[in-house]
Amino acid sequence: MNVMEEVDVTEKKGTLSVFEQASKMGHEQLVYCHDEATGLKALIGIHNTVLGPALGGTRFWNYATEEEAVTDVLRLSRGMTYKAAVSGLNLGGGKAVIIGDVSKLKNEAFLRRFGKFVDSLGGKYITAEDMNMKTSDMEYIGMETNHVTGLPVEMGGSGDPSPVTAYGVYVGMKAAAKKAYGSDSLEGKKISVQGVGQVGMYLTQHLAKEGAQLFITDINQERLEKVSKDSGATIVGMDEIYDVDVDIYAPCAMGATVNDETIGRLKASVIAGAANNQLADEVRHGRMLIDAGIVYAPDFVINAGGIINISSELAGAYNKEQAYSWTEKIYDTTQNIFKLADEKSIPTQDAAMKLAEKRIEDIGRVKLSM
C-alpha cells in the first residue's frame, strides 16, 4: 500500500494535534509518505512558498518516536523559510525527514520511491541532501523526479553542499567574534566544535588554518580521530564539550543543545555553529543568552551556505566561485542582525526572524499587486 495524505487532525503531540502544531508554526502543508514494499516512512514539511518553491534537504534519522520526527520536520522546514528569506533568495522553506535505520533501509529502490513522492508535489518542494544522505543518493532520487538538487558536478549539479555551508559558518563566526571581541581574527581563539560530520569537519579546516585552538566531540570515534589528526584538535567527551573553557562554542550536530541546562555551563562568549534549531526555546533561551552576555549568531543565518550553493545550481549552470561569493555576504548579514538586535534590545534570533519576515511580507505584496 502506498499512502500520501494530509495531516490527521486527531493525532496528538502533547496538548496539540499535529494539525495544530503545523498551523501554529505557519505551515502550508505537512505530507506523510509511506511505502510498505520498501519500508519507507517519511514526512515532507512545506512551510512557506511566498518567495518561491520550498527548498530543503532530506534528513535520514532513526527517531525515537514519530512525534519527534514531526517536531523536527516542522522546525527544520520553518528554519529553511527564514534561511532563504534572510539570505535574499527567491525560495521558500521545506524539509523532509525519513524515519528509520539508515544502515538497514537505504538502497536504490527505497530512495527512488521517495523520489516519486517528491515528484508528486509538482515542484512545490525541491529536495537536497542533509544528515545521513549523500550526493549519490540524490542521483537515485533524481531518477524519479527533476525536483532534486545537489547532484554530482559531472551531472551539472553543485555536488556536496557541506564545504560551502562550512564556509558560511566560518565567516558568520568571524562576524560574531568581531561583535564580542572587537576583532574578527580567530587566531589563538579556543573553539569547541560539537559534531565533526561533513560540515563540522570542513569548519575545523578553516579554523585550524587560521590558528584557532580546537576542541571536538562526536559520536563517531573514527571520524573524531581523523579530524583530530588533521587539525590538531583535542578530543573531549560528548557531555564534557559544554564545560570546556573556550571563547566560542560551535554546535554542528543535532539541535536544541542551547537550553536551560547547558547555558549555565558554557564558558564561551560566542555561539556560532552549523546545527539547525540550536535554541531549545527560541524566546526564553534567546533572552537567557543576552543575560549571560553571550553573542549568538542565529543558526539559520550563518548556516545558509548550503542553500545559497544550491540556489546557484537552480539559477542555471553551477558556478562555484559565484556560490562562495554569495556565501561570503553572510558576514555582512550577521553584522546587520547584531546591529538591529542592539537597536531594538531584542535577541539576535528575533532580529534575524524580523528581517526575514519583513522580506516575505514585502515581496508578498509585490506579487499581489497589479
Side-chain angles (χ1 to χ4, degrees):
M1 180 178 67
N2 299 325
V3 180
M4 186 170 190
E5 57 188 15
E6 297 303 321
V7 177
D8 178 358
V9 298
T10 64
E11 192 168 343
K12 298 291 181 180
K13 168 75 168 66
T15 59
L16 293 178
S17 71
V18 175
F19 182 84
E20 288 168 335
Q21 289 183 75
S23 178
K24 185 177 180 180
M25 296 178 72
H27 284 73
E28 296 177 7
Q29 196 171 4
L30 178 60
V31 179
Y32 281 66
C33 311
H34 174 241
D35 180 65
E36 189 173 334
T38 60
L40 174 69
K41 290 173 65 176
L43 298 165
I44 300 174
I46 298 173
H47 180 254
N48 187 290
T49 56
V50 170
L51 297 178
L55 173 65
T58 295
R59 173 171 294 189
F60 204 138
W61 191 254
N62 198 11
Y63 293 92
T65 65
E66 292 178 3
E67 289 78 11
E68 284 186 11
V70 169
T71 298
D72 207 26
V73 77
L74 291 177
R75 293 195 73 187
L76 289 168
S77 54
R78 186 186 65 158
M80 293 303 296
T81 293
Y82 288 123
K83 189 180 299 189
V86 82
S87 300
L89 304 176
N90 293 318
L91 293 166
K95 204 76 173 184
V97 298
I98 297 175
I99 304 168
D101 187 337
V102 64
S103 66
K104 296 178 180 178
L105 290 172
K106 190 166 71 169
N107 57 42
E108 179 184 351
F110 183 94
L111 293 169
R112 292 181 66 168
R113 189 66 190 89
F114 175 70
K116 289 187 73 67
F117 279 118
V118 172
D119 194 62
S120 69
L121 291 171
K124 190 174 183 181
Y125 169 66
I126 303 169
T127 197
E129 68 178 88
D130 198 331
M131 190 177 293
N132 288 325
M133 297 290 277
K134 301 181 295 184
T135 304
S136 57
D137 298 329
M138 297 303 108
E139 289 187 66
Y140 285 132
I141 293 171
M143 291 178 182
E144 303 298 335
T145 182
N146 292 324
H147 309 303
V148 58
T149 57
L151 292 168
V153 175
E154 59 270 21
M155 295 178 64
S158 57
D160 180 9
S162 301
V164 190
T165 303
Y167 182 69
V169 174
Y170 169 64
V171 298
M173 183 184 290
K174 288 176 73 65
K178 174 76 172 178
K179 170 68 175 172
Y181 301 112
S183 169
D184 65 9
S185 174
L186 301 177
E187 183 177 5
K189 288 287 187 290
K190 293 182 289 184
I191 303 173
S192 58
V193 180
Q194 181 196 49
V196 288
Q198 287 296 99
V199 176
M201 177 187 69
Y202 287 117
L203 177 61
T204 62
Q205 292 175 6
H206 289 293
L207 300 177
K209 184 177 180 179
E210 192 165 339
Q213 183 181 349
L214 301 177
F215 300 83
I216 59 174
T217 194
D218 197 283
I219 58 174
N220 187 322
Q221 192 64 34
E222 183 179 348
R223 181 178 286 272
L224 264 180
E225 291 173 1
K226 180 183 185 306
V227 173
S228 174
K229 181 179 179 181
D230 292 343
S231 66
T234 300
I235 297 173
V236 300
M238 292 286 288
D239 187 63
E240 183 187 353
I241 197 74
Y242 303 112
D243 301 310
V244 180
D245 187 6
V246 295
D247 302 298
I248 300 171
Y249 166 58
C252 295
M254 293 295 282
T257 65
V258 180
N259 53 51
D260 290 339
E261 194 269 331
T262 60
I263 290 175
R265 294 169 61 183
L266 292 172
K267 311 295 192 301
S269 296
V270 171
I271 297 176
N276 290 303
N277 303 316
Q278 293 167 23
L279 306 183
D281 185 301
E282 293 170 353
V283 177
R284 185 170 75 254
H285 297 133
R287 286 288 176 188
M288 286 177 67
L289 292 179
I290 292 178
D291 294 341
I294 298 174
V295 174
Y296 174 58
D299 49 58
F300 65 83
V301 176
I302 70 170
N303 69 10
I307 191 173
I308 292 170
N309 189 60
I310 288 170
S311 71
S312 177
E313 177 181 343
L314 290 173
Y318 175 65
N319 186 311
K320 181 178 179 180
E321 290 72 24
Q322 181 185 64
Y324 273 90
S325 177
W326 288 355
T327 300
E328 196 158 354
K329 295 177 182 177
I330 287 174
Y331 183 99
D332 293 334
T333 302
T334 306
Q335 287 197 316
N336 290 337
I337 287 165
F338 292 150
K339 181 180 179 182
L340 178 62
D342 287 344
E343 290 174 351
K344 301 288 186 181
S345 297
I346 57 175
T348 54
Q349 176 85 359
D350 290 0
M353 291 173 72
K354 286 183 184 300
L355 285 178
E357 289 165 356
K358 185 177 187 307
R359 180 166 182 261
I360 293 170
E361 184 178 347
D362 289 347
I363 302 304
R365 288 199 191 98
V366 170
K367 290 188 174 184
L368 287 173
S369 63
M370 298 296 290

